[in-house]
Amino acid sequence: MLSVKVRTLFVGFLTAYLVVLVSLDVLSIRTGRSGGALINGDAKGYYAWLRSIALDHDVDFRNDYALIYPPEPPPPIPELTPRGLVPDKYPIGVAIVELPGFVVGHLTAKVLGFPANGVTTPYQIAVTLWLQLVCLGSLLSLWAAMVRVGAREDIAALGIASALLATNLIQYVAKPAWAHGPGLAVLCLAYYLLVTARDTGAGRRMLAIGALLGLALIIRPSNVALAPFFLVAVLDRRAHWRADLARIAAGALPMIALHVASFWALWGSVRLSGYAGEGFTAGWSGIVHTLFAARHGLFVYHVWYALALVACVAALTNPVTRRLAMGTLLSFVLMACINGTWWCWWFGDSFGNRAFIELIPALVVTVVLWLSHLAPTMQRRAVRGFVGATVVLACVNLLLWTGYVLRRFPPDGTHSVAQAYLWPAFRSRPGS
């Protein structure tokens, strides 16, 4: 009875969450600043790959930028590629995830008489709704995976709900065409496939896991930081882990080859990154800033991450969760180093520090399994504390998110902490 009740409530929560997102999509189309576009900002750079290849059958983004970006300014183009093409610095991975939504949008545009040019309203709605379904569906699969490995169903549901309500994930499921929602989704699905793998047919399953992890890499190469978490998960779950790791690597190779091929077509040479002239130049100070600065510092605006890391440290004391906690903490350290040393450690226009969102599945799994394996008396106290913290942090997060969406403080982080948290006290955006 408990199983059915928790599952029903959790699915109901995700459904209600989706309904709210769709309502916000409709409101954004009617009143938004982007001319009715749901795909905006950096998401347009990722989407340009799909539009150009599917409709123009090339990788010259000159006309794509002219169609996709207005009323936003197009990205600066310092120089053409050696092949004389307008470059796109973003990798192709997000476009792969967007493909089913694009096909639906294309067919809908033709049926309803909209221009079938890749940018009209049917494309915007279909791609966005598809990605929202993928994100929320993947979180449902993460819940099922955690229950499979021994988590309490209610605690697993609470862990995922806390991430959706109390972190910056809310913005990047609402606007899922940025890389973070799709990246989180494929990582959740990879973990689900790993947990549910059986000995029979395991070879094909490991290849599929490798393909998903390879896709995560070509969505955002910094997702390589999740390697310690998944390595520990494989060691914990699989007896023949050496063979499984080899199959996972083999499954990832086609995705990596596709990434290399896309940049070869654009640049005419082997390139692993399109970020020409950008690099890891921020040093140790950037690592400190990406976590603690007023400009999108991770722990400053989203305390959930800090509390989850504290719980991961506590999970080191439990033999059931010790190795998984070590993998998660090492993944966090690697991600902090990658994000912090990047020259733009604040990651431009961002709700909080968006570059850590892909770490959420690892944090949730570790925290939920640790809470699920506590002694009953301690567990009750810990869960009550987790619920209380979630409620408080969710309220704070919704306050910050409302200010961010309404642009009551600068989205690029050039504001003080007080201006972000106390934005209702200002009659208008500070400095305007």
Side-chain angles (χ1 to χ4, degrees):
M1 182 65 68
L2 177 62
S3 176
V4 174
K5 183 178 180 180
V6 171
R7 187 183 304 115
T8 301
L9 288 174
F10 185 53
V11 171
F13 165 76
L14 293 179
T15 302
Y17 198 94
L18 178 63
V19 169
V20 172
L21 293 182
V22 172
S23 301
L24 292 174
D25 291 340
V26 173
L27 183 63
S28 179
I29 288 174
R30 292 184 175 182
T31 64
R33 298 176 177 84
S34 299
L38 297 174
I39 301 171
N40 54 21
D42 284 3
K44 295 186 175 186
Y46 294 105
Y47 182 71
W49 280 101
L50 179 54
R51 194 230 163 261
S52 188
I53 293 173
L55 298 183
D56 297 339
H57 313 299
D58 62 29
V59 290
D60 188 350
F61 300 102
R62 191 184 311 271
N63 66 312
D64 302 281
Y65 289 170
L67 279 170
I68 293 172
Y69 273 90
E72 298 177 37
I77 302 172
E79 60 181 353
L80 300 179
T81 73
R83 297 190 60 204
L85 303 174
V86 172
D88 188 338
K89 68 179 181 179
Y90 301 100
I92 197 172
V94 173
I96 295 172
V97 184
E98 291 173 332
L99 182 57
F102 180 88
V103 171
V104 172
H106 188 67
L107 295 175
T108 304
K110 284 180 172 290
V111 169
L112 297 181
F114 284 84
N117 59 5
V119 298
T120 50
T121 300
Y123 295 93
Q124 301 286 333
I125 294 175
V127 170
T128 299
L129 181 58
W130 163 249
L131 292 178
Q132 288 170 342
L133 288 169
V134 168
C135 290
L136 295 179
S138 73
L139 289 170
L140 182 59
S141 75
L142 182 66
W143 175 84
M146 289 189 289
V147 172
R148 180 70 68 92
V149 296
R152 264 181 46 176
E153 293 184 349
D154 54 344
I155 295 177
L158 174 63
I160 293 173
S162 72
L164 281 168
L165 295 174
T167 78
N168 49 350
L169 177 60
I170 191 172
Q171 166 67 14
Y172 298 99
V173 177
K175 295 292 184 181
W178 293 60
H180 310 288
L184 175 139
V186 299
L187 291 167
C188 289
L189 292 172
Y191 184 73
Y192 173 79
L193 290 183
L194 176 61
V195 165
T196 58
R198 298 178 179 178
D199 292 335
T200 304
R204 292 189 296 272
R205 179 65 66 97
M206 294 303 137
L207 289 174
I209 293 169
L212 286 171
L213 293 178
L215 180 55
L217 286 177
I218 68 172
I219 288 174
R220 287 188 75 229
S222 61
N223 287 333
V224 70
L226 274 296
F229 169 78
F230 276 96
L231 177 60
V232 171
V234 171
L235 295 178
D236 281 347
R237 299 293 302 172
R238 306 296 301 170
H240 305 290
W241 57 268
R242 291 184 179 85
D244 288 334
L245 287 175
R247 293 188 184 102
I248 289 172
L253 285 177
M255 289 295 178
I256 297 172
L258 181 60
H259 173 81
V260 173
S262 65
F263 279 121
W264 177 283
L266 186 57
W267 292 90
S269 60
V270 175
R271 297 175 67 96
L272 296 179
S273 172
Y275 290 85
E278 303 181 45
F280 299 92
T281 57
W284 289 105
S285 64
I287 297 174
V288 175
H289 289 148
T290 204
L291 298 176
F292 298 104
R295 193 172 192 180
H296 295 161
L298 180 69
F299 298 151
V300 175
Y301 296 100
H302 291 101
V303 180
W304 183 94
Y305 290 93
L307 295 181
L309 288 168
V310 170
C312 288
V313 172
L316 293 172
T317 64
N318 191 320
V320 177
T321 54
R322 181 173 297 135
R323 289 209 301 184
L324 192 64
M326 290 177 63
T328 299
L329 290 169
L330 183 54
S331 287
F332 167 75
V333 170
L334 290 176
M335 188 166 281
C337 290
I338 293 170
N339 294 338
T341 56
W342 185 245
W343 73 271
C344 187
W345 49 263
W346 62 95
F347 287 85
D349 287 1
S350 178
F351 178 48
N353 197 319
R354 56 188 168 88
F356 287 87
I357 285 174
E358 291 85 345
L359 189 67
I360 286 176
L363 292 170
V364 167
V365 168
T366 305
V367 173
V368 164
L369 290 178
W370 171 67
L371 286 172
S372 297
H373 288 92
L374 287 174
T377 302
M378 184 179 297
Q379 186 181 82
R380 284 193 292 271
R381 289 198 296 266
V383 170
R384 283 198 295 267
F386 189 33
V387 171
T390 295
V391 171
V392 172
L393 294 179
C395 292
V396 172
N397 190 52
L398 291 173
L399 172 70
L400 288 172
W401 189 45
T402 302
Y404 175 82
V405 171
L406 296 177
R407 294 297 190 261
R408 294 295 298 273
F409 49 85
D412 64 352
T414 54
H415 53 72
S416 68
V417 176
Q419 287 169 338
Y421 277 94
L422 302 178
W423 66 263
F426 296 91
R427 291 183 178 275
S428 59
R429 172 175 156 173
S432 63

